[in-house]
Amino acid sequence: MTHFLKQEPFRSKKYMTWVKSLPCSACAMPESSDPHHLISVGLGGTTGGKEDDSLIIPLCRFCHNLVHANKMAIDQPYYFMKVIKQAFREGVITVI
């Protein structure tokens, strides 16, 4: 039987603050966004816990509620990739 070590989730207040400053990924509303932890949609999601802070997208309150009512309401992986690419372009995330 294989045992996997449980890894602690990555947490970053700096990254969360940056994501909150972005417009909503789904509707582009410029109002303050909630950082939405991706709901498991093929990205190695957890069950019963929050994803890493690296797996977040900005959503306005309306879109955030919509996604929690129906996780397929928006294409979460697509918006996640856009946010990550923007983070690299702006130097929020760097590679050592």
Side-chain angles (χ1 to χ4, degrees), residues 67-85:
V67 170
H68 280 279
N70 175 6
K71 72 179 182 180
M72 301 306 285
I74 67 167
D75 188 349
Q76 294 179 74
Y78 169 78
Y79 292 115
F80 165 70
M81 292 305 299
K82 285 182 68 171
V83 170
I84 287 293
K85 287 179 183 178

Side-chain angles (χ1 to χ4, degrees), residues 19-34 58-63:
V19 169
K20 286 180 184 181
S21 74
L22 300 174
C24 177
S25 288
C27 72
M29 276 293 229
E31 298 173 4
S32 62
S33 295
D34 293 334
L59 293 177
C60 68
R61 178 51 42 192
F62 177 81
C63 291

Side-chain angles (χ1 to χ4, degrees), residues 1 6-7 16 28 30 33 46 71 80:
M1 182 154 131
K6 182 177 178 181
Q7 293 184 346
M16 293 282 277
S33 295
T46 62
K71 72 179 182 180
F80 165 70

